[in-house]
């Protein structure tokens, strides 16, 4: 019986400083990016719509995350890729040209350290402008579609393709609920506190968070998330103000 040569399954040698797209380092780095993307997807809406003042520890961690995404851009310039024929391309010029024509601009824009800019320029420390600028970080979520380790799970037998799609749909639904809950809280937070007697008489989910307006973060978020679920199900949503009507149409 002819024995298989184990050298056939080794990754081919690459030029110095070039990363293999399926190498151990690149795979580990991509999995780390998945964790950071999960943090970005949950923290950005909370900071924009829920948290009015971040602590120093939170700010420092956000700056670290920004730095890691900038490092990821640099690694993309060093990572080889497979062409349509399955041949690995290691040319620096072709790697740069491919990245330039595809995802370089969204990656650069979403990796701008907005927090650092506002810290270095106190005169521009407008809270509303800072929160709006943080919205560009949502573009980072586009990287999830380019992580090769996730695509390989569907083809190497690690996970069934239908299971991967099911998990993806579930996570997308959760992110939509998360965004809606945070936006809902931001709208309700601008209301004047309504007496309980009047709140009982007014229909709709727009006043159900009145009792948790000044509550701790976890209680306020739980009420807003429950309201978001009811809203997306079309249950008991009776917008009365123009702001509520515009948000409900979205």
């Amino acid at each position: 019986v002819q024995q298989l040569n184990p050298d056939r399954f080794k990754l081919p040698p690459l030029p110095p400083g070039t990363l293999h797209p399926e190498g151990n380092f690149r795979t580990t780095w991509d999995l780390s990016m998945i964790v950071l993307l999960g943090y970005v997807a949950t923290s950005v809406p909370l900071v924009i719509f829920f948290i009015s003042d971040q602590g120093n520890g939170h700010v420092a961690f956000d700056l670290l995350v920004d730095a890691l995404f900038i490092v990821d851009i640099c690694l993309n310039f060093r990572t080889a890729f497979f062409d349509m024929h399955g041949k690995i391309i290691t040319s620096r010029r072709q790697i740069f040209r491919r990245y330039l024509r595809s995802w370089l601009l969204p990656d650069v824009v979403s990796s701008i350290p907005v927090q650092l800019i506002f810290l270095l320029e106190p005169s521009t420390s407008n809270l509303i402008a800072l929160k709006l600028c943080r919205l560009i970080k949502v573009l980072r979520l586009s990287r999830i579609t380019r992580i090769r380790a996730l695509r390989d799970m569907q083809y190497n037998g690690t996970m069934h393709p239908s299971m991967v799609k099911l998990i993806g749909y579930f996570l997308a639904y959760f992110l939509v609920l998360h965004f809606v809950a945070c936006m809902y809280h931001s709208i309700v937070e601008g209301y004047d506190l309504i007496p309980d007697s009047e709140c009982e008489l007014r229909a709709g989910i727009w006043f159900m968070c009145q009792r948790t307006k000044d509550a701790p973060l976890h209680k306020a978020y739980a009420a807003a998330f429950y309201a978001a679920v009811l809203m997306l199900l079309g249950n008991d949503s009776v917008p009365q103000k123009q702001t509520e009507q515009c948000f409900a149409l979205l």
Side-chain angles (χ1 to χ4, degrees), residues 36-91:
L36 292 181
L37 288 173
Y39 168 78
V40 170
T42 54
S43 67
V44 169
L46 285 175
V47 172
I48 294 177
F49 300 110
F50 257 95
I51 303 174
S52 58
D53 187 18
Q54 290 181 275
N56 294 331
H58 195 181
V59 172
F61 186 77
D62 281 348
L63 292 176
L64 175 61
V65 172
D66 293 339
L68 291 176
F69 277 103
I70 294 175
V71 172
D72 184 65
I73 294 177
C74 298
L75 292 179
N76 288 335
F77 284 114
R78 297 282 185 173
T79 303
F81 65 95
F82 294 97
D83 61 9
M84 62 180 60
H85 303 292
K87 180 182 177 182
I88 188 168
I89 305 300
T90 60
S91 172

Side-chain angles (χ1 to χ4, degrees), residues 14-49:
L14 299 179
T18 303
L19 301 175
H20 196 285
E22 296 180 347
N24 293 331
F25 174 81
R26 187 69 217 196
T27 301
T28 304
W29 179 265
D30 288 342
L31 294 178
S32 302
M33 286 292 103
I34 295 177
V35 177
L36 292 181
L37 288 173
Y39 168 78
V40 170
T42 54
S43 67
V44 169
L46 285 175
V47 172
I48 294 177
F49 300 110

